[in-house]
Amino acid sequence: MMQKDKSRKPVLIKENIVLDCKAVTPEEAIIHAGELLLRSGYIKSGYISGMLSRDENFSVYLGNMLAIAHGEKGVRDQILGTGMSVLICPDGIDWHGNLVKIVMGLAAIGDEHMELLMHCANIFSDRERVERLVRCRDRERVYRMFGGI
């Protein structure tokens, strides 16, 4: 993975994992995921509006109960570092007609998002693994499932 440089903040920090999230709408989930990135210093506040706009124009739902909220190209200047947040919503969210139980917030510098997306594709390609992730109530275990990126 990309986190070879020990001077950089990890892409995913445990504080950015929310278990049993009660988000009701896609907009609320995106704002929550973005606020975690903001508080952790990965983004400036303007990035969140770009995340909302991205989902309005092109749904960020990817299948297998996953949505990856990320900003449009026009808000790249709002990214301070590559980071992600994870919201686990066991009750599910109606995401424009699709069921979402895991919402990831993603901000990436340059092409680092490609490596993250490939890593996440490996995790979310297995429906059983996704179900275990949704049922998990241990933040440390969820962090390990993402490989401590």
Side-chain angles (χ1 to χ4, degrees):
M1 282 301 297
M2 72 178 80
Q3 279 309 114
K4 308 280 190 262
D5 181 356
K6 297 296 181 193
S7 66
R8 287 177 54 177
K9 184 188 314 190
V11 172
L12 178 62
I13 59 174
K14 293 173 192 166
E15 295 79 15
N16 283 356
I17 299 171
V18 177
L19 306 173
D20 203 26
C21 183
K22 300 296 183 197
V24 203
T25 67
E27 294 79 17
E28 290 171 327
I30 290 170
I31 291 169
H32 191 172
E35 286 175 345
L36 290 169
L37 294 172
L38 178 66
R39 281 196 298 266
S40 303
Y42 293 107
I43 62 170
K44 297 178 187 175
S45 61
Y47 190 76
I48 297 172
S49 62
M51 294 169 78
L52 290 165
S53 183
R54 164 75 71 173
D55 189 56
E56 286 174 19
N57 296 319
F58 307 99
S59 178
V60 297
Y61 171 74
L62 295 181
N64 220 6
M65 299 187 290
L66 171 68
I68 299 182
H70 57 290
E72 296 180 307
K73 289 182 181 182
V75 294
R76 284 187 180 169
D77 64 332
Q78 299 290 298
I79 300 172
L80 301 172
T82 299
M84 62 190 284
S85 56
V86 178
L87 308 178
I88 299 177
C89 309
D91 296 335
I93 300 169
D94 178 354
W95 207 285
H96 316 298
N98 299 293
L99 176 65
V100 167
K101 292 190 175 188
I102 301 173
V103 179
M104 292 174 46
L106 178 63
I109 293 179
D111 290 334
E112 291 182 344
H113 69 285
M114 295 306 295
E115 190 173 346
L116 286 172
L117 291 175
M118 287 184 350
H119 183 71
C120 291
N122 288 335
I123 294 169
F124 289 94
S125 63
D126 179 353
R127 179 82 173 195
E128 188 176 307
R129 188 179 311 142
V130 174
E131 291 288 350
R132 281 195 314 267
L133 191 57
V134 169
R135 289 190 308 268
C136 188
R137 296 293 173 259
D138 180 355
R139 183 182 283 171
E140 179 67 35
R141 192 162 173 211
V142 170
Y143 181 74
R144 285 194 312 268
M145 287 177 92
F146 277 92
I149 55 176

